[in-house]
Amino acid sequence: MTTSELTLPQARKKKGRGPTERRRVMGAGKQLHAGPVTYIVLTVFALLSLAPLVWTAIAASRTDRRLAETPPPLWFGGNLFKNLESAWDQAGLGTAMLNSTVVAGTITISTVLFSTLAGFAFAKLRFRFSSVLLLLTIGTMMIPPQLAVVPLYLWMSDLGWSNQLQTVILPTLVTAFGTFFMRQYLVQALPTELIEAARVDGASSLRVVWHVVFPAARPAMAVLGLLTFVFAWNDFLWPIIALTQQNPTVQVALNSLGTGYVPDQAVIMAGALLGTLPLLIAFILFGKQIVGGIMQGAIKG
Amino acid sequence: MTSSKQALAHPASSAEAAPGTPPGAARGAHGRGTPPGPDSWRSRLYRWDMKASPYAFIAPFFIIFGAFSLVPLLYTAWYSLHDVQLSSLDQQTWAGLDNYQNLLTSDFFWNALKNTFTIGVISTVPQLMAAIGLAHLLNYRLRGSTVWRVVMLTPYATSVAAATLVFTLLYSWDGGMVNWFLHFVGIGPVNWRESDWGSQFAVSSIVIWRWTGYNALIYLAAMQAIPVDLYESASIDGANRWQQFLHVTVPQLRPTILFTVVVSSIGATQLFGEPLLFGGVSGSKGGSEHQYQTLGLYMYDQGWIIGNLGKASAIAWSMFLILLIVAVINLLFTRRLRKSL
């Protein structure tokens, strides 16, 4: 999957250096070139966004004792790899990374697949109760996860599933957000004539999905996949309750680190750095698509 | 609710139409060119496929939602009316409204409610205001506009746990970056862990850091959809840039602002990870004086640290009721706004 395949087809503007034709639907700001003040303020915001992460790396390259001294270190020391190794071994981050990859990967694949099917049905198919069911789907986003954790915990104990990954995977196999996201995309990206043409040929629903819907939904599927992976990797409440340090996801391992499991601040920072690294790499590679996805999802009806 | 049940009665019977197992007979219907003729078994199958397939496509979502959200939600209501202890899970005795009564007479509950509200306000209001300003700047024609946007979004990629661990160290008493900086500009050190407003501000700052860029992108998307003519007519009327922003941009963003306020309120009501990790070893208490114990934290503490799952269920339902009240207030507020426009 190349990045060019990932870009959304209705990208808002061409990246022409020259004077491109201006669309009539753009904020006035679009026509105005940013002045120096804008760049200065944006730079301050950018530094505020990045500084804590850069400083995490600096702190991870120091020692616990050095971090308790004043003034705090402002540049890298020579202890990075030693601390990364300690975090990997002591905090079980090796296992945690593997577990988080399995959990987030499974959730992403299944969410993208089922959200596309459900989104397609809501966008293009006529069936009884469809509008009520769509409203219900949107309404479920209001329900806080806290409302489910007590019974889920008790069922898990009954099944003897504590500390097993399926406990964390099953409840989020498909999300309301994903379903709604795909519906919004397919409403305008999938021409109804295409489906009708396939129908006239006598194609079954599955054939229509495979040959018409999936190809049309592909860019949005990629974006939803990225957003879902970020969400699943960072999920906190239920994993903290369902899993322990014996078989943690990255977030559970970081939680144990922070609650005195390893009292060494430099090792804790190394852990925080390791736990965020996969997503940072994803951002460097697909940042544009993730930004596009969030901006796409923002425009409601 | 009943309608969804009826709708779900279908897909259960059409489970074999689910992806992965195409019924062999349907294969025959794929003959190219002609649609099946009337009244053949093929056409009947085809019509059945047309009817049942939408339900089969939405079934996975509703099955997962039903099993892992809806049913647990009702069970939570049931447990909230019972005495359920972590130490003896099989003894669940009827308690009526005792758990709720317990809550209403507990200082810790009111404290958690107050903290949730305070932290919610001081993390949401500055965050959304900063996000609108940031979106306005990102809406100018910029060099490397994509890079700016990606950079502003990196905090969103940082997990609650990682971000909180880093900020906790930045706010520490000994050698903390924040206190060192304050000393540098001539202000005495603040005890970010113990003081009331200090700790609440520290927890809020983590939320602000993680979500400002995300909300800025949502506002930016809405800003790009504002028709240019509005600005043109405003500038003909002699409005300067600041007035244009105030009288064109902000009113046009109203629905989006409402949307972000609702989403942020939902998030603020559930705030859990930040205060838990900020508290360190006894994180679920939310500080030595419970000064930043939120409702989410209080529920976790009651349920899994103290081991009273019945009370935890009652707290969860209280949170849900509070959310509904917030939603209704938002709704009424919007109605008022619409009328006054």
Side-chain angles (χ1 to χ4, degrees):
Chain A
M1 164 107 28
T2 61
T3 42
S4 63
E5 275 177 83
L6 277 168
T7 36
L8 291 164
Q10 324 79 25
R12 261 181 212 72
K13 59 174 205 305
K14 294 187 179 61
K15 280 203 305 191
R17 282 264 174 255
T20 46
E21 210 179 309
R22 215 168 286 141
R23 298 255 303 275
R24 295 298 293 170
V25 60
M26 286 273 176
K30 266 285 168 260
Q31 309 150 50
L32 298 164
H33 284 271
V37 177
T38 303
Y39 279 108
I40 290 167
V41 179
L42 281 176
T43 306
V44 171
F45 267 110
L47 285 175
L48 284 172
S49 299
L50 294 178
L53 289 168
V54 174
W55 194 78
T56 308
I58 291 174
S61 70
R62 296 287 182 165
T63 59
D64 185 47
R65 189 185 304 169
R66 175 65 187 86
L67 289 176
E69 288 168 10
T70 310
L74 296 173
W75 193 243
F76 295 90
N79 244 350
L80 182 64
F81 290 100
K82 189 168 155 290
N83 288 329
L84 289 175
E85 210 172 321
S86 302
W88 189 266
D89 296 337
Q90 292 176 44
L93 265 175
T95 318
M97 297 280 254
L98 191 67
N99 282 344
S100 276
T101 308
V102 170
V103 168
T106 313
I107 287 175
T108 300
I109 291 167
S110 112
T111 297
V112 169
L113 180 71
F114 291 135
S115 298
T116 308
L117 288 176
F120 162 58
F122 280 130
K124 293 289 166 182
L125 300 180
R126 289 212 194 109
F127 55 101
R128 282 186 72 182
F129 310 120
S130 62
S131 49
V132 176
L133 288 172
L134 180 63
L135 272 177
L136 188 72
T137 305
I138 297 166
T140 61
M141 293 192 224
M142 278 276 299
I143 302 172
Q146 274 89 353
L147 270 174
V149 291
V150 173
L152 289 181
Y153 179 81
L154 293 172
W155 294 348
M156 176 186 90
S157 309
D158 282 348
L159 289 165
W161 274 13
S162 55
N163 257 332
Q164 297 188 21
L165 295 185
Q166 70 264 31
T167 322
V168 180
I169 294 172
L170 276 172
T172 28
L173 275 178
V174 50
T175 57
F177 169 80
T179 301
F180 186 66
F181 182 89
M182 288 312 289
R183 180 204 169 263
Q184 294 301 82
Y185 179 81
L186 287 172
V187 158
Q188 36 92 16
L190 179 60
T192 312
E193 301 81 62
L194 269 183
I195 302 167
E196 277 164 1
R199 283 289 189 195
V200 169
D201 279 354
S204 70
S205 303
L206 282 179
R207 215 179 164 76
V208 170
V209 166
W210 187 253
H211 290 287
V212 180
V213 179
F214 281 170
R218 211 161 161 186
M221 285 164 94
V223 169
L224 178 62
L226 288 166
L227 291 177
T228 307
F229 195 88
V230 172
F231 158 81
W233 185 273
N234 288 342
D235 197 21
F236 193 74
L237 174 72
W238 175 232
I240 291 277
I241 291 170
L243 303 174
T244 69
Q245 197 46 36
Q246 268 67 57
N247 193 29
T249 56
V250 167
Q251 306 314 320
V252 176
L254 290 182
N255 182 50
S256 318
L257 268 179
T259 48
Y261 186 78
V262 175
D264 185 314
Q265 283 293 344
V267 174
I268 292 176
M269 288 302 105
L273 188 68
L274 269 179
T276 311
L277 215 52
L279 292 189
L280 286 181
I281 292 168
F283 255 63
I284 292 164
L285 292 175
F286 307 116
K288 194 175 163 186
Q289 283 71 35
I290 297 173
V291 166
I294 286 169
M295 288 177 67
Q296 282 285 319
I299 303 172
K300 289 196 135 29
Chain B
M1 278 295 145
T2 46
S3 61
S4 75
K5 280 218 176 69
Q6 284 165 15
L8 282 176
H10 280 283
S13 60
S14 67
E16 62 269 30
T21 51
R27 275 280 148 94
H30 299 161
R32 295 193 56 75
T34 48
D39 288 337
S40 63
W41 60 268
R42 232 195 230 184
S43 76
R44 243 175 292 153
L45 191 73
Y46 180 79
R47 277 204 305 271
W48 180 83
D49 175 37
M50 290 279 280
K51 255 208 190 58
S53 61
Y55 296 111
F57 292 155
I58 62 171
F61 170 74
F62 282 98
I63 289 169
I64 295 284
F65 165 72
F68 297 106
S69 293
L70 187 65
V71 174
L73 183 139
L74 300 172
Y75 263 94
T76 303
W78 166 259
Y79 290 134
S80 76
L81 302 172
H82 287 71
D83 181 33
V84 187
Q85 298 296 332
L86 199 60
S87 49
S88 51
L89 286 178
D90 35 6
Q91 293 170 22
Q92 297 166 10
T93 49
W94 175 255
L97 293 174
D98 285 3
N99 284 322
Y100 290 95
Q101 218 147 15
N102 247 329
L103 282 190
L104 295 178
T105 53
S106 156
D107 290 345
F108 292 130
F109 173 74
W110 293 108
N111 172 59
L113 187 61
K114 189 185 83 207
N115 290 344
T116 305
F117 182 77
T118 316
I119 295 175
V121 170
I122 57 178
S123 60
T124 303
V125 175
Q127 178 200 137
L128 295 184
M129 287 170 81
I132 290 183
L134 185 56
H136 182 73
L137 296 180
L138 288 170
N139 202 18
Y140 284 118
R141 195 176 281 237
L142 291 166
R143 277 161 199 254
S145 61
T146 308
V147 177
W148 288 112
R149 290 174 198 178
V150 173
V151 166
M152 301 302 173
L153 199 63
T154 38
Y156 159 84
T158 314
S159 68
V160 173
T164 308
L165 290 175
V166 176
F167 273 70
T168 306
L169 189 55
L170 290 172
Y171 280 118
S172 62
W173 181 256
D174 305 313
M177 181 77 75
V178 178
N179 276 346
W180 175 71
F181 183 77
L182 288 180
H183 168 78
F184 209 70
V185 293
I187 304 171
V190 175
N191 193 337
W192 300 104
R193 278 293 187 82
E194 296 300 327
S195 65
D196 273 10
W197 72 266
S199 58
Q200 291 190 351
F201 173 85
V203 169
S204 302
S205 69
I206 306 168
V207 180
I208 294 171
W209 181 73
R210 279 188 70 227
W211 293 103
T212 301
Y214 177 87
N215 283 309
L217 287 182
I218 289 181
Y219 289 137
L220 178 62
M223 279 180 192
Q224 293 186 334
I226 300 174
V228 173
D229 330 359
L230 290 177
Y231 290 99
E232 283 171 356
S233 52
S235 66
I236 290 167
D237 289 344
N240 64 26
R241 272 200 206 177
W242 171 243
Q243 286 167 322
Q244 285 180 25
F245 173 75
L246 226 51
H247 298 285
V248 178
T249 311
V250 174
Q252 286 286 314
L253 285 183
R254 206 164 271 169
T256 314
I257 291 172
L258 185 85
F259 168 73
T260 51
V261 167
V262 171
V263 171
S264 304
S265 321
I266 294 175
T269 312
Q270 299 165 15
L271 191 70
F272 168 71
E274 291 89 343
L276 178 77
L277 272 155
F278 190 74
V281 179
S282 57
S284 67
K285 304 290 178 223
S288 53
E289 306 281 319
H290 297 254
Q291 61 270 42
Y292 48 93
Q293 187 175 45
T294 56
L295 282 170
L297 214 49
Y298 182 51
M299 178 197 162
Y300 177 77
D301 186 55
Q302 288 297 321
W304 282 274
I305 307 297
I306 291 171
N308 188 344
L309 288 172
K311 197 167 169 185
S313 303
I315 299 166
W317 263 93
S318 313
M319 287 169 74
F320 193 36
L321 290 177
I322 292 161
L323 262 183
L324 288 177
I325 293 166
V326 169
V328 168
I329 291 172
N330 269 317
L331 207 70
L332 292 174
F333 190 65
T334 342
R335 284 238 175 106
R336 288 280 306 270
L337 273 180
R338 277 216 196 102
K339 274 186 188 147
S340 65
L341 280 175

